Amino acid sequence: MFLGLDSSTQSLTAVIIDPATQKISYQLSVNFGADLPQYKSPSGFIPGGAGGEVHANPCMWLDAVDLLFSRLAEQTDLSKITLVAGSGQQHGSVYLDSTFDARLAGLNASSSLADQLSPALTRTTSPIWMDTSTGAECAEIAAAVGGNVEVCARSGSNAIERFTGPQIRRFYKSEPEAYARTARIHLVGSFLASVLAGKSVSPDFGDGAGMNLLNLGSLTWDKELLAATAPNLEEKLLPPAITTTVQGAISRYFVEKYGFPADCRTALFTGDNPASLVGMGATRPGSIVISLGTSDTFFASMPGAKTDPNGFGHVFGNPAGGYMSLICFLNGSLAREALRDQLGVDWSAFDSQALAASASEAGKNLMLPFFGPEVTPRHDFTGPVRQGSAAFESGADASQQVRALLEGQFLNMRLHSEWMGVKVDRIRLTGGASRNNGIAQIVADVFQAPVERLDVSNSAALGAALIAASAAGENLQQLEADFCQTAPGSTLLPDTSLAQTYTEALGRFKKLLDASR
Ligand code: XUL
């Protein structure tokens, strides 16, 4: 059996799979806020950070590992696990001194991970992906290598506030002595992978690419980006590697304390988005994943290392080999909720029945669906822009308004994913709003591709478990076919008579967007 772990913003989740029965045998989560209240981080980070700082306590992640494994050991038989892999929230970083590896090698099962490893921290808190404090550092890094076009061509993304390189630079500038004492910098994922392995292990290409430091072409640390970020940085990082690289046996700590078999092995950890690509069964080009959450995300596998010429999208390594894109849209549920509240309606206004009332107006009225600042495209929008019939522009009719908002959100996604040059054969829709048939049908119609919904809840932890099985020699395509199945009756086909309508709407949407920025 194989164990996949996902250390996300709010929780640590375990999924155990048995490829012989093609079933998830067990899953369990520890919630940082509810289960570890002593860290005073109800949503997984320390509230009240100044100047855009969002940090979390890395000891909380370690305590979560001990707590999760003690609960798992009570409820399941961990002696059957042959290989462990995992994922972590991307971009977050952990700073450690030169005693870290000796501490890992000497872990004693009679004490906790946090007690034994915390003395090695050179920075007591870790910046996470929600941190926006590094605007100045992004500008400095971009300027040092000749601009963001160059940063993006090298690393797959413009210099981005939450990415690890700008965060490292900020630490170097604000606490130069602590930076100098730092012998090892880990991502959230590679930190936990190292704890399991009992030695420092590399980040994978998926998570490593979220640092603004990995050269996508050579898949090694980029010398110029390293130099632009902070001095002596390369010696603090381990060389990135493919996710399925096996690290050897799990640390004795976990064997003695929780009953893992002594020959249980560990693989590298990847980021939660690359792991979700696996858990959604989308590692091959043609399937794209759209996740509808507070923000919406669009991710898809790509055969080559193409980058977004406009610098909005990101490119990471795909755990199955090759690359993947990740594009974030801040105005996801936030915008859907804002419109719902403005109209004074509930979610039923987003369902197929309510949207049928405006079916004859598909693609006619345009809405730039931004209720606040957006990152794709990057602009400080202050509210939606409407263009269409007088009735629509007056903002009254709920069916028209909701249709135009959803069409606008997915036209914006279609427009800003065109750079990938990937033909969309099918869309796997996930996240809270994905069960809504009205929203799902508009996705199918705008992209002119079938929309599938999977029976998967913890897609990153499941993906990690599939990566573990694949690292042990199982066939990943087969695993995806076995474990990532569509929920019965959940597939929606596009209305092909709308193909031309939405192609034309896309052109008008682009014009309106260009005129509004
Ligand atoms: C991706 C990103 C988030 C984190 C946390 O760039 O910042 O999706 O990975 O989930």
Side-chain angles (χ1 to χ4, degrees), residues 242-244 274 277-278 283-284 317-322 467 470 476-477 480:
I242 182 109
T243 327
T244 45
L277 186 78
V278 181
T283 58
R284 283 213 274 202
N318 175 344
I467 290 169
S470 137
L476 186 59
Q477 294 311 321
E480 286 183 33

Side-chain angles (χ1 to χ4, degrees), residues 126-487:
S126 291
I128 67 161
W129 65 278
M130 296 163 81
D131 189 297
T132 55
S133 66
T134 61
E137 289 73 17
C138 287
E140 288 159 5
I141 292 169
V145 297
N148 259 322
V149 171
E150 188 61 25
V151 180
C152 187
R154 286 168 183 266
S155 76
S157 303
N158 282 8
I160 302 285
E161 287 85 344
R162 67 184 188 282
F163 276 42
T164 324
Q167 293 290 344
I168 293 173
R169 178 161 180 80
R170 185 157 187 266
F171 179 51
Y172 155 67
K173 279 169 54 186
S174 57
E175 294 180 60
E177 281 145 36
Y179 175 80
R181 269 193 298 115
T182 302
R184 188 65 69 219
I185 300 175
H186 274 298
L187 294 172
V188 178
S190 70
F191 174 60
L192 295 176
S194 302
V195 171
L196 285 171
K199 60 182 180 190
S200 269
V201 302
S202 295
D204 83 320
F205 299 137
D207 221 7
M211 300 178 77
N212 278 146
L213 292 173
L214 180 74
N215 187 297
L216 279 187
S218 65
L219 291 174
T220 57
W221 300 126
D222 186 290
K223 302 262 183 232
E224 287 189 45
L225 286 170
L226 288 169
T229 300
N232 308 319
L233 182 50
E234 190 161 17
E235 65 197 43
K236 303 182 200 294
L237 303 170
L238 286 172
I242 182 109
T243 327
T244 45
T245 315
V246 174
Q247 297 310 306
I250 195 167
S251 158
R252 295 286 315 159
Y253 177 89
F254 300 99
V255 176
E256 286 166 23
K257 200 160 181 168
Y258 303 115
F260 281 89
D263 60 355
C264 173
R265 294 174 299 156
T266 67
L268 297 179
F269 274 36
T270 188
D272 55 351
N273 294 297
S276 280
L277 186 78
V278 181
M280 292 297 292
T283 58
R284 283 213 274 202
S287 301
I288 64 160
V289 179
I290 295 176
S291 171
L292 302 174
T294 311
S295 305
D296 293 338
T297 52
F298 174 109
F299 49 90
S301 141
M302 299 193 301
K306 231 180 200 179
T307 54
D308 182 354
N310 291 310
F312 303 134
H314 311 301
V315 181
F316 301 145
N318 175 344
Y323 299 86
M324 67 174 284
S325 68
L326 174 92
I327 314 173
C328 296
F329 301 86
L330 281 187
N331 280 268
S333 283
L334 288 175
R336 293 185 284 274
E337 279 164 21
L339 183 71
R340 180 200 60 186
D341 297 346
Q342 272 181 13
L343 293 169
V345 295
D346 61 25
W347 287 125
S348 64
F350 290 69
D351 219 329
S352 9
Q353 230 178 333
L355 288 170
S358 55
S360 62
E361 290 171 64
K364 297 217 171 85
N365 296 312
L366 289 182
M367 188 191 290
L368 301 185
F370 311 113
F371 284 70
E374 180 51 65
V375 291
T376 312
R378 217 175 229 265
H379 189 67
D380 281 342
F381 293 98
T382 50
V385 176
R386 292 174 172 84
Q387 185 185 74
S389 67
F392 168 70
E393 288 187 7
S394 79
D397 181 275
S399 180
Q400 275 185 343
Q401 296 300 317
V402 172
R403 169 176 292 280
L405 170 87
L406 295 172
E407 289 176 347
Q409 290 193 314
F410 302 117
L411 285 169
N412 189 49
M413 263 188 201
R414 185 170 150 184
L415 181 66
H416 289 103
S417 55
E418 274 179 339
W419 61 270
M420 293 169 56
V422 167
K423 193 173 152 287
V424 180
D425 295 329
R426 59 179 182 177
I427 295 167
R428 296 200 144 172
L429 200 62
T430 182
S434 65
R435 264 161 266 138
N436 182 306
N437 285 331
I439 298 180
Q441 187 62 52
I442 290 189
V443 175
D445 292 345
V446 169
F447 280 92
Q448 286 293 300
V451 164
E452 303 175 341
R453 270 89 42 102
L454 300 198
D455 258 341
V456 165
S457 40
N458 299 310
S459 60
L462 173 64
L466 302 183
I467 290 169
S470 137
E474 303 265 346
N475 180 297
L476 186 59
Q477 294 311 321
Q478 190 56 48
L479 289 164
E480 286 183 33
D482 291 342
F483 283 92
C484 313
Q485 286 179 9
T486 48

